Amino acid sequence: MLYKEGVPTQDQVLSKFPSIDVLIKPKAIIECYENIPCNPCSTSCPFGAITINENINNIPVVDFDKCTGCGICAYSCPGLAITVSRVKESKALFKIPYEFMPSPIEGEIWYAVNRYGEVIGDAKIIKVDNRPSQDKTLLVHVEVDKSLLYDFITIRRKTNG
Ligand code: SF4
Ligand code: SF4
């Protein structure tokens, strides 16, 4: 699936998530599936929560006990392959990297989009981080319905705002 369509299988996606009880706190979900020479996720994490080991081609692995959900790795990854996820009551809360214009604004409702680029619901913009250290990659805090936890990946602006 990944090689034919550029989209991971549901099993591949699920393999990147911790159990649902762990997601009461925010955790990094690293959707990096290929052996590539890359490691900013690991070197940027101030908590040593991402391991790649001595071979830079290894696939990164998150220690969910160490991950605080800060989101630094999400905007540090050049492939935009990392989100931060958590569940709260009937909602799934994400921090996602975002590099398109126009930028989302707190309080707006955008479309929630899956890995196929399909609209799957609404996404409420909770907050937008844009610190100088992020080098213009926004970290957008988004709220979607909890049923979208494993399908949601990004946002798309509604044409009427
Ligand atoms: S979210 Fe923060 S603590 Fe967790 S892996 Fe990423 S950089 Fe490390
Ligand atoms: S920085 Fe991103 S693309 Fe590079 S290894 Fe880490 S998750 Fe994969």
Side-chain angles (χ1 to χ4, degrees):
M1 186 91 88
L2 189 60
Y3 300 106
K4 282 184 179 173
E5 301 175 354
V7 177
T9 64
Q10 186 78 344
D11 283 347
Q12 285 176 309
V13 172
L14 292 178
S15 75
K16 302 299 183 182
F17 277 78
S19 59
I20 198 84
D21 53 309
V22 173
L23 286 178
I24 58 172
K25 293 183 176 175
K27 300 296 174 187
I29 311 299
I30 302 190
E31 294 207 46
C32 191
Y33 297 101
E34 309 225 276
N35 298 95
I36 54 172
C38 186
N39 68 358
C41 53
S42 179
T43 58
S44 69
C45 177
F47 304 99
I50 301 176
T51 302
I52 289 184
N53 285 329
E54 66 283 350
N55 184 346
I56 196 172
N57 292 298
N58 286 342
I59 290 173
V61 175
V62 185
D63 182 336
F64 293 115
D65 289 333
K66 292 182 179 176
C67 176
T68 66
C70 67
I72 291 173
C73 58
Y75 60 73
S76 301
C77 167
L80 306 183
I82 304 175
T83 61
V84 175
S85 174
R86 114 173 137 103
V87 293
K88 185 180 180 188
E89 298 167 353
S90 65
K91 302 296 182 186
L93 305 174
F94 286 85
K95 298 176 193 176
I96 62 168
Y98 194 80
E99 294 185 336
F100 295 105
M101 297 292 284
S103 303
I105 296 171
E106 181 179 329
E108 289 181 338
I109 305 294
W110 286 38
Y111 289 123
V113 172
N114 67 12
R115 291 170 183 78
Y116 288 91
E118 299 163 341
V119 172
I120 51 174
D122 282 343
K124 182 176 181 182
I125 310 301
I126 303 298
K127 187 181 169 195
V128 180
D129 294 332
N130 187 17
R131 293 181 287 269
S133 61
Q134 294 175 217
D135 197 22
K136 297 189 172 63
T137 298
L138 304 182
L139 190 66
V140 184
H141 301 228
V142 177
E143 179 186 273
V144 299
D145 192 88
K146 186 179 172 184
S147 64
L148 305 182
L149 177 65
Y150 301 118
D151 295 320
F152 171 79
I153 194 65
T154 193
I155 51 174
R156 184 184 306 153
R157 184 170 175 255
K158 295 188 177 187
T159 51
N160 62 0

